[in-house]
Amino acid sequence: MQLSSLTNENMIFLNMSLTTKAEVIAKLVEALYDSGKITSKEEFTQAIYDREAISETGIENGFAIPHGKADCVKEAAFAVMTTEGIVSDWESLDPDNEVKHIIMLAIPKSEGGSTHLDLLATLMEKMSDEEYTQKLFASQTVQELYQNLDHEEQKEQKDIVYTKTIVAVTACPAGIAHTYMAAQALEKAGNELGVKVYVEKQGANGIEGKLTTEQLQEADAAIFSVGVAVKNEERFHHLPITKTPVAEPLKDAKSIINRALEKAENFEKGDFDSSTQTPEKISVGEEIKQAVMTGISHMVPFVVAGGMILAFAVLISQQFDLVEMYNTPGTWLNSFRLLSGGLLGTLLVPVMAGYMAYAIGEKPALVSGFAAGFAANLVGGGFLAGMLGGLIAGYSVRFLKKILPAKGAFSGFISFFLYPVISTLWIGLIMFFVIGEPVAWLNNALTNFLRGLQGTNAILLGIVIGIMTSFDLGGPVNKAAYAFCVSVMGEGVLLPYAIFASVKMVSGFAITLTTLIEKESYTTEELEAGRTTWLLALGGITEGAIPFMMKHPLQVMLSLCTGSAVCGGIVAISNIGLNVPGAGIFSMFLLDYSNTSVSPFIGSAVWLGAAIVGAIISTAILVPLMRKDRLKGKA
């Protein structure tokens, strides 16, 4: 690779009389600007100082690597400077480092996976080679240094006997300098110690040197030398992990490797979970499932926070006779009611749809994904419409990126203007004129159907509400049941919402029980999620079961609807009521017994017991169905 293609002799300065970091940065930025590599000196200077604020860019042996990512960078490049004296105010990883050799990297913000980035990565790896840097900075003229950039002597290869194996990840905020130099330092130190070190670099080029299943299985320990979060960290859970700042290997990589091996001696290595490996290419179905999981994982904290705040507000209003304050705009209790309502009613679906779109179309798809979720709220489509909108938004942006790639001088305009505007307009047309009408018709039809059941057999009403509540876990059918229960509550009919509130706990309880009993049918990620659905259920939150229904729709829907029908029938028999839209377990303290002779103790026990019985029935159906699929190789 020709490093000289990323610079020119006008961006190389030898034996300059500059003595401060600010002077050096200003001079190198000006050189990049004069050479047409950047369009704004001020913007790029700010990017350099933003990176300097994160961690030191001085390394050792007189070397410093300031670097910045910015939209003003037209193409990846670097400038070089040596100074006559020491740049005394340049902060370095090595406190004794006296900076005299500086290489400034300029990286386009939208750059990814290009030849230019490969060249910059090569430069950073070469900077870790002491022989290379000594020859480079011994150059007497600008022309000689320029030529020495691509000079590489043949080195004698020595046979090394490896006694241990370590897997490592390096990653820094900019994704260039420290990422590659840390990787080089770990590999070099490993060779000197007789330890084979496989390094995965998670940088501006994406993931390079991706660790294989065999490497992860055979490794004795793992090292994370990072300044950002490690991608797919679950792959390393079977290994002892030593974490360090990304720059630490540049100071003393050998001690890091020794610490990792010492940690491994006192660590019982677990079994490698092959399900944590992400295949290079996945099916559309698997991609959709991953997108749904991404949306759900970002949505659940909003559900928990909103549900709990609403529950406490309702409980306080009932127990302290503050119902009027609860309903009066401007009061503190009403404000918390509105806050929780905003989290649950306004933000929930947009957050889910936005991050589903993000999982497919990456950052440019966030805007249209959020717009899809907001539009789903406007058309009353609930979670199902939001999911569909999020998927459409994600794939729409991916298509736009394919036919209109963000490259060249207009890459910023394309990424930050065309992608969000075009995809948002498109998703608006789809949601309002294609999805909206059918969803509205379905909601009205289901609500009218439930109204027709009033005055007939209460058990039948309970069964139907139970089935509708768990049929789509927050979609149009669930929302129709909710709308009916709330509307008749205003008419003084309190039984339907008591049924609805109890049934909402069935799905979460059932999924937790199923994942505890039939562990072999679920991945590690699904088992972790399954352990928390019962907690969400206590808050009246059904969304925790959505990922499981998405993966096994018929099995989960059949089991949950059956258990929920039983739960609804039991609550209907008791004839207890609920006159406040409560949440989960807290509704037990707000039940109304005016239409029944059942005591509060018995009534609350029946109400909660109905959810538990429904969950047990659902589990009894779902476990054998999942086991059957697993034995057939489908689970």
Side-chain angles (χ1 to χ4, degrees):
M1 290 187 174
Q2 295 293 312
L3 294 175
S4 55
S5 66
L6 286 172
T7 190
N8 58 53
E9 293 182 6
N10 294 325
M11 293 192 289
I12 299 174
F13 305 90
L14 298 184
N15 301 318
M16 301 294 290
S17 59
L18 307 180
T19 58
T20 68
K21 182 167 76 169
E23 291 175 328
V24 172
I25 289 176
K27 182 65 177 177
L28 292 177
V29 169
E30 184 177 8
L32 289 164
Y33 180 78
D34 291 340
S35 296
K37 304 300 182 182
I38 60 177
T39 58
S40 170
K41 289 188 285 187
E42 294 77 12
E43 184 180 344
F44 186 65
T45 299
Q46 185 61 49
I48 289 290
Y49 280 107
D50 288 344
R51 177 60 188 86
E52 291 290 315
I54 295 174
S55 66
E56 305 92 336
T57 55
I59 308 296
E60 58 184 351
N61 299 324
F63 189 49
I65 45 166
H67 48 289
K69 270 184 172 182
D71 291 323
C72 66
V73 180
K74 295 171 65 177
E75 59 178 336
F78 66 89
V80 183
M81 179 184 291
T82 66
T83 58
E84 288 180 348
I86 298 166
V87 183
S88 58
D89 63 342
W90 206 301
E91 302 87 350
S92 297
L93 302 170
D94 181 356
D96 299 323
N97 186 38
E98 298 178 338
V99 173
K100 296 183 66 176
H101 315 307
I102 304 99
I103 294 182
M104 176 178 284
L105 309 180
I107 308 154
K109 208 165 192 177
S110 60
E111 191 92 33
S114 71
T115 303
H116 280 162
L117 281 181
D118 291 337
L119 287 169
L120 286 177
T122 301
L123 172 64
M124 289 301 97
E125 290 176 348
K126 286 188 174 184
M127 288 299 104
S128 298
D129 187 333
E130 191 172 340
E131 294 180 23
Y132 175 85
T133 54
Q134 284 180 351
K135 182 176 180 63
L136 184 68
F137 291 109
S139 302
Q140 297 300 307
T141 66
V142 168
Q143 294 77 11
E144 184 182 356
L145 189 148
Y146 183 73
Q147 292 172 359
N148 284 337
L149 283 168
D150 295 308
H151 179 77
E152 190 169 6
E153 296 180 356
Q154 294 294 323
K155 297 181 181 179
E156 182 182 349
Q157 296 293 324
K158 298 180 181 179
D159 292 331
I160 302 173
V161 178
Y162 297 110
T163 58
K164 295 287 184 178
T165 300
I166 288 177
V167 289
V169 175
T170 59
C172 69
I176 289 290
H178 290 79
T179 299
Y180 294 95
M181 296 183 77
Q184 187 80 355
L186 288 170
E187 290 171 348
K188 180 180 177 182
N191 289 336
E192 293 175 3
L193 294 171
V195 178
K196 184 61 180 176
V197 181
Y198 297 102
V199 184
E200 178 176 292
K201 298 173 281 288
Q202 299 184 359
N205 256 342
I207 295 180
E208 296 180 75
K210 184 176 175 63
L211 296 167
T212 65
T213 299
E214 183 179 1
Q215 290 167 349
L216 289 163
Q217 285 177 324
E218 295 180 355
D220 298 293
I223 295 172
F224 292 168
S225 290
V226 297
V228 294
V230 173
K231 298 174 182 175
N232 306 127
E233 185 175 341
E234 63 275 5
R235 295 174 293 162
F236 304 89
H237 285 174
H238 64 297
L239 296 171
I241 299 173
T242 300
K243 297 184 178 182
T244 76
V246 65
E248 191 167 330
L250 306 180
K251 293 187 288 184
D252 192 357
K254 288 184 180 179
S255 69
I256 296 173
I257 292 174
N258 286 327
R259 290 206 316 265
L261 294 176
E262 288 173 8
K263 195 170 184 178
E265 291 178 1
N266 301 314
F267 182 88
E268 185 176 347
K269 185 177 173 182
D271 295 328
F272 175 69
D273 184 359
S274 60
S275 68
T276 60
Q277 287 289 82
T278 303
E280 292 295 323
K281 293 183 178 180
I282 60 175
S283 66
V284 174
E286 183 65 22
E287 184 176 56
I288 290 174
K289 190 192 84 170
Q290 290 181 6
V292 172
M293 289 293 291
T294 300
I296 294 297
S297 66
H298 284 85
M299 178 193 72
V300 166
F302 288 81
V303 177
V304 174
M308 291 300 100
I309 293 172
L310 176 61
F312 283 121
V314 171
L315 187 60
I316 290 172
S317 69
Q318 289 292 304
Q319 297 301 312
F320 296 96
D321 196 22
L322 298 174
V323 175
E324 184 176 350
M325 179 183 288
Y326 179 84
N327 293 316
T328 303
T331 63
W332 67 269
L333 195 55
N334 182 262
S335 296
F336 277 104
R337 173 190 177 184
L338 295 177
L339 173 63
S340 60
L343 291 173
L344 291 170
T346 304
L347 292 179
L348 214 58
V349 176
V351 166
M352 181 193 67
Y355 282 99
M356 284 179 63
Y358 171 79
I360 296 169
E362 300 180 332
K363 189 176 179 180
L366 268 176
V367 174
S368 55
F370 277 105
F374 186 69
N377 285 341
L378 293 178
V379 301
F383 289 96
L384 288 185
M387 284 181 179
L388 183 57
L391 293 174
I392 294 172
Y395 283 113
S396 297
V397 170
R398 180 184 288 183
F399 178 71
L400 277 175
K401 290 164 73 176
K402 185 176 181 179
I403 63 171
L404 192 64
K407 293 181 180 179
F410 294 100
S411 61
F413 174 77
I414 294 171
S415 295
F416 296 101
F417 183 83
L418 290 185
Y419 287 164
V421 171
I422 293 175
S423 61
T424 300
L425 286 172
W426 166 248
I427 201 65
L429 291 171
I430 293 292
M431 297 301 291
F432 294 139
F433 298 105
V434 178
I435 296 175
E437 288 296 326
V439 168
W441 177 86
L442 178 62
N443 279 335
N444 290 331
L446 291 173
T447 303
N448 291 333
F449 168 71
L450 287 173
R451 287 187 178 277
L453 292 179
Q454 289 190 84
T456 62
N457 195 321
I459 296 178
L460 178 59
L461 179 64
I463 291 172
V464 173
I465 291 176
I467 292 173
M468 292 179 65
T469 302
S470 295
F471 180 79
D472 54 1
L473 301 173
V477 177
N478 173 286
K479 284 291 186 288
Y482 172 77
F484 166 75
C485 294
V486 172
S487 64
V488 297
M489 182 191 298
E491 300 170 7
V493 181
L494 308 182
L495 173 61
Y497 200 89
I499 297 169
F500 181 78
S502 179
V503 171
K504 286 186 74 178
M505 295 187 286
V506 172
S507 58
F509 290 168
I511 293 299
T512 294
L513 287 172
T514 302
T515 53
L516 289 174
I517 296 171
E518 183 57 24
K519 296 179 181 179
E520 296 82 359
S521 294
Y522 298 96
T523 65
T524 302
E525 185 179 19
E526 288 169 339
L527 290 174
E528 289 293 330
R531 293 192 186 106
T532 62
T533 57
W534 73 275
L535 286 171
L536 298 178
L538 287 178
I541 300 163
T542 61
E543 286 72 30
I546 290 177
F548 298 88
M549 183 177 283
M550 291 298 296
K551 187 173 182 180
H552 307 281
L554 295 179
Q555 296 92 326
V556 174
M557 186 182 296
L558 173 65
S559 60
L560 293 186
C561 286
T562 303
S564 297
V566 173
C567 172
I570 293 173
V571 177
I573 293 174
S574 70
N575 204 29
I576 54 180
L578 186 61
N579 62 357
V580 176
I585 193 67
F586 297 100
S587 297
M588 185 169 62
F589 304 103
L590 308 172
L591 294 172
D592 184 282
Y593 303 98
S594 58
N595 293 323
T596 180
S597 59
V598 174
S599 69
F601 176 79
I602 298 297
S604 59
V606 169
W607 182 84
L608 178 60
I612 295 172
V613 170
I616 292 172
I617 292 172
S618 294
T619 303
I621 296 172
L622 184 55
V623 166
L625 290 176
M626 293 300 298
R627 187 170 297 159
K628 181 180 178 181
D629 275 3
R630 174 170 58 84
L631 295 176
K632 288 182 178 181
K634 296 180 181 180

